[in-house]
Amino acid sequence: MTETLAARSLRVVGGAAALAWVALALNTAGAWPLAGFAVAAVVLGAVWAAAPASRGIVRGLMAPPRAVFVGVCAAAAAALSWWTVGRAMLGQPLSIDSAAYVLQARALAHGHFGVAPPHPVQAFGDHFLLEGPDGRLYGIFPPGWPLALAPFVAIGWPMLAGPAVAVLLVLAQAALGRAMGEAAGDEEAGELAMRASLLLSLASVGRALETADLLSHAFVGALAAFAMAGAIAPRPGWRRAVLTGACVGWVLASRYLDGVVLVAAVAGVLVWRRTTWRTLAWAGAGAAPFLLLALLEQHAATGSWLAPTQTVYFARSDWPPTCHRLGFGPDIGCTVEHPGPTARLGGDGYGLDDALAVTRDRAGALGEDLVGWPPLLLAAFVPVAVGASAVDAVALAFVLALTLAYALFYYGNPMFFGARHLFPLGPFVWLLVARAAAVPREARARGAGIAAILATAVWCVRAPWSERAAGAASFQSLRSDLRRSMAAAHVDQGIVRTGDLAAFLAAFDPVVDDDARLPALDDGSGLVELRRAHPALPLWISFAHDQLGKSYVGAPPQGVQVELERSWPTFVRPAGLATKQEPQPGASGGTVLLLSHATPGAGVAIPFETAVAGTYALRVDGFRGPDGGDYALDLDGEPLPPWAGYAPAAEPAHGAKVTRDLTAGRHVLLARCTGRDAASTGYDARLDALVGEVAAVAPPPPQP
């Protein structure tokens, strides 16, 4: 009676979850390829009618030894990922996120969490870089995925990590499928579903893009599948507990939200199975090194054991300071990092209605990412709603929990990647969809179901593959891999200018290059202070298709020109106001440092470095306007002439000059809001550059 009640309860839960998913993710029926319905119906009917064919599908899938079948699928997954690396990615990271991961992996390969930037530091800061208390530059992401990426960076083949993770995904999915079959008491059906799910996963466009671009989601999906396999598999032991804990800990050290959801899911399974305290202790021991790794990285980057690097970074770089936190409220939504999505949230910030819309978009895109056709995801609910399997309910609970957990994050689906935040669900979804075909006992029905699922996915995935791979290739076509182009051009020394942030992040390696090769972001003013600091280095310019051109320019004139916006966001320390690099026609670097959302008393510290010591007549250049405020300026503890930011119309402005002695090296400009003109509408400031004309230059230090 108890088992019957439990089975009925599972069916009710599975059916309710399926209906909720329809309401949530499948309410844009106009976007479904209608051919999917026809393909599914025709293939299902045809294979069912041809009984020998349907039974032959089952026999064919089960014929190869497991190791051979899994090995062939792993090789195919690696080949698809490598093909995507070469054809769509053109051999380099696609996103800024993945390039930042490469930089973090380089630091770890050199035995540290961060890198020591060359002089002057402001030439080497930008998005997703944070200056730590020790002066090193740190990537803002957790260290778990960079740790896995570091060996590939160390051997000079970072993009090889993608195919390696593609193989890992296959192995993890196979392990999870086998464990689910054993736990459900039907190893034959579990084996069949596992093999069908591996074939289904090979069609996924999301899988190819996620692995090829070196993002963390695919790696986390593999670890989550391994962890769940260890938790639900029979015959637990201390070795399995340690490995399960290590997988959970590594997920926590890679993606915090995914890790929290996985901890809850695995803990629930272990409690359900009445796991002993000793086994739980072994699992904790497995997780501990990765948790310690995350804490050490946070402390190195922020000076705090508990402050996540992303929290500190967005407090410096965006507005409101808490814009990136998870949850709801008017302070959610980063106006600098994601101005478009944030503007669509409305004046009340991120609310339940916005969460529903974002979750609907993600969940809808997940179907295209994983199986090519969103309605096919409904098959994932069949094992619970029809088969009433507890082990399938566990997998489905993880799928639903992670989907709902990401409702707390306001940012939706980015280009090319679809619902990448939910991609770690891939192994679970592929298995659940395939297990739907294994619910019937007859081989004929199983074969027909598997054929219909695979045929529908293959037919419908063609358009996403074509559109998204072509879009990625088009996006990459005007870019260059700096390390590859420097090697091809035999550039052993020089300053290599690029306007591509991702290319810079992926190439930046001051440990290997020292002060001989300096990839740097072009600030539009010729990187004057960088050239003054390294006058003997030739200047190269990066062009598309890995081409480099040598710039034949003379040495910059004596003086000081520090583009203040180049300290944003890596180095600035705002207090009570927002900072932003803002395009400004007529500015010396084409952009200014915009100070906004200020009130009297708010301020910002702007660290920078100068190249040549001397006595200079200094001034601060910027732009005045109708919303400008008044700011007190201070350089290294000594006041500068104040900045009056108001003008009836936007206009360039030069601050009053003051003569100062400057050493070569670190300085800090402080700007503090003191009020505004009575006619001004705000307290903003647009600061362009600290400019110094030579009064006297210190003699160079004696050569050893």
Side-chain angles (χ1 to χ4, degrees):
M1 182 66 179
T2 304
E3 291 182 358
T4 301
L5 179 60
R8 288 177 179 173
S9 300
L10 282 176
R11 290 193 181 97
V12 170
V13 170
L19 291 175
W21 191 273
V22 169
L24 181 68
L26 302 183
N27 63 345
T28 54
W32 302 348
L34 297 180
F37 292 104
V39 171
V42 169
V43 173
L44 183 65
V47 177
W48 172 264
S54 59
R55 296 188 180 97
I57 289 172
V58 174
R59 288 195 299 269
L61 278 176
M62 298 295 286
R66 175 187 292 140
V68 172
F69 189 92
V70 172
V72 169
C73 289
L80 285 168
S81 180
W82 189 245
W83 180 88
T84 307
V85 167
R87 293 296 297 272
M89 306 300 172
L90 303 185
Q92 59 187 321
L94 176 64
S95 62
I96 297 175
D97 308 56
S98 53
Y101 279 127
V102 172
L103 184 145
Q104 291 183 245
R106 288 193 193 281
L108 286 172
H110 296 312
H112 204 284
F113 291 113
V115 296
H119 172 67
V121 295
Q122 68 268 13
F124 305 99
D126 214 286
H127 284 74
F128 295 168
L129 288 180
L130 178 74
E131 185 187 38
D134 57 359
R136 289 177 175 264
L137 302 186
Y138 294 86
I140 67 169
F141 298 116
W145 171 230
L147 177 67
L149 189 56
F152 299 95
V153 171
I155 64 174
W157 285 83
M159 301 305 291
L160 192 60
V165 172
V167 170
L168 194 67
L169 268 173
V170 168
L171 300 180
Q173 189 172 328
L176 178 60
R178 181 179 183 181
M180 290 175 70
E182 291 178 349
D186 193 342
E187 295 186 34
E188 180 182 357
E191 182 73 16
L192 177 64
M194 180 271 288
R195 296 184 182 214
S197 75
L198 291 180
L199 295 180
L200 179 64
S201 71
L202 294 178
S204 167
V205 63
R207 176 199 192 96
L209 289 169
E210 287 294 326
T211 56
D213 193 37
L214 307 185
L215 293 165
S216 60
H217 308 87
F219 181 67
V220 166
L223 292 179
F226 275 128
M228 193 63 72
I232 67 176
R235 301 180 300 277
W238 72 268
R239 291 183 181 86
R240 185 187 296 274
V242 169
L243 292 175
T244 300
C247 289
V248 173
W250 210 336
V251 170
L252 271 168
S254 300
R255 299 191 64 82
Y256 293 146
L257 182 57
D258 302 54
V260 169
V261 175
L262 183 62
V263 166
V266 170
V269 173
L270 295 179
V271 170
W272 167 53
R273 300 194 59 181
R274 299 182 181 179
T275 304
T276 65
W277 284 107
R278 178 177 297 181
T279 301
L280 293 175
W282 281 117
F290 300 99
L291 302 180
L292 179 61
L293 176 77
L295 291 175
L296 289 172
E297 190 263 352
Q298 287 182 177
H299 185 265
T302 68
S304 169
W305 289 105
L306 299 178
T309 51
Q310 291 187 56
T311 300
V312 174
Y313 170 79
F314 282 101
R316 293 185 187 180
S317 68
D318 224 310
W319 190 265
T322 56
C323 66
H324 199 256
R325 73 172 176 86
L326 299 176
F328 306 101
D331 62 331
I332 301 297
C334 295
T335 57
V336 176
E337 185 72 21
H338 303 133
T342 299
R344 289 193 291 271
L345 298 180
D348 60 344
Y350 192 58
L352 290 176
D353 55 336
D354 303 303
L356 179 63
V358 169
T359 304
R360 181 185 300 124
D361 289 344
R362 281 202 197 101
L366 186 66
E368 181 181 285
D369 288 355
L370 299 182
V371 294
W373 192 51
L376 194 55
L377 270 189
L378 286 175
F381 297 87
V382 170
V384 178
V386 177
S389 168
V391 71
D392 292 307
V394 168
L396 185 60
F398 180 69
V399 170
L400 297 175
L402 191 65
T403 301
L404 294 176
Y406 267 101
L408 300 174
F409 183 45
Y410 74 95
Y411 185 53
N413 304 328
M415 62 180 180
F416 308 131
F417 302 105
R420 67 180 183 182
H421 300 100
L422 300 183
F423 183 80
L425 299 176
F428 299 84
V429 170
W430 291 319
L431 278 164
L432 286 169
V433 171
R435 285 176 66 84
V439 169
R441 294 294 179 182
E442 303 85 358
R444 182 181 181 184
R446 288 177 171 178
I450 290 171
I453 288 171
L454 295 179
T456 304
V458 170
W459 181 268
C460 293
V461 83
R462 296 176 305 154
W465 261 101
S466 175
E467 293 168 3
R468 289 163 67 177
S474 176
F475 182 81
Q476 296 285 77
S477 63
L478 299 179
R479 305 179 61 210
S480 287
D481 182 297
L482 294 188
R483 302 203 72 81
R484 190 169 62 202
S485 58
M486 287 189 294
H490 306 289
V491 173
D492 297 322
Q493 61 175 356
I495 298 170
V496 182
R497 296 166 51 184
T498 178
D500 186 340
L501 174 58
F504 163 73
L505 290 173
F508 188 48
D509 192 348
V511 175
V512 170
D513 295 330
D514 197 20
D515 283 345
R517 295 195 307 185
L518 301 175
L521 283 169
D522 192 347
D523 63 3
S525 64
L527 300 164
V528 176
E529 285 301 303
L530 181 61
R531 292 170 57 213
R532 287 184 177 132
H534 306 276
L537 292 181
L539 189 64
W540 299 83
I541 304 175
S542 173
F543 298 107
H545 312 300
D546 292 347
Q547 298 297 307
L548 289 180
K550 198 169 185 180
S551 180
Y552 294 94
V553 296
Q558 292 182 335
V560 169
Q561 182 171 326
V562 175
E563 297 296 329
L564 297 175
E565 70 273 10
R566 290 297 295 121
S567 290
W568 181 89
T570 304
F571 304 100
V572 296
R573 308 302 203 274
L577 53 75
T579 58
K580 177 184 178 183
Q581 192 176 60
E582 177 88 345
Q584 179 68 57
S588 57
T591 57
V592 295
L593 179 66
L594 172 63
L595 312 183
S596 62
H597 298 90
T599 55
V604 60
I606 309 170
F608 61 90
E609 289 182 349
T610 53
V612 181
T615 301
Y616 299 95
L618 298 173
R619 72 176 192 268
V620 173
D621 289 351
F623 286 77
R624 297 190 176 104
D627 57 357
D630 298 332
Y631 283 76
L633 302 180
D634 179 291
L635 180 63
D636 298 335
E638 298 184 24
L640 294 178
W643 176 262
Y646 171 75
E651 63 180 24
H654 301 301
K657 294 180 182 179
V658 61
T659 301
R660 289 286 171 81
D661 293 329
L662 284 185
T663 59
R666 183 87 168 203
H667 302 278
V668 179
L669 177 69
L670 298 177
R672 180 176 57 83
C673 182
T674 57
R676 65 184 180 187
D677 188 275
S680 178
T681 60
Y683 295 96
D684 292 357
R686 290 171 174 83
L687 306 179
D688 184 8
L690 178 71
V691 179
E693 299 173 0
V694 175
V697 178
Q703 298 296 320

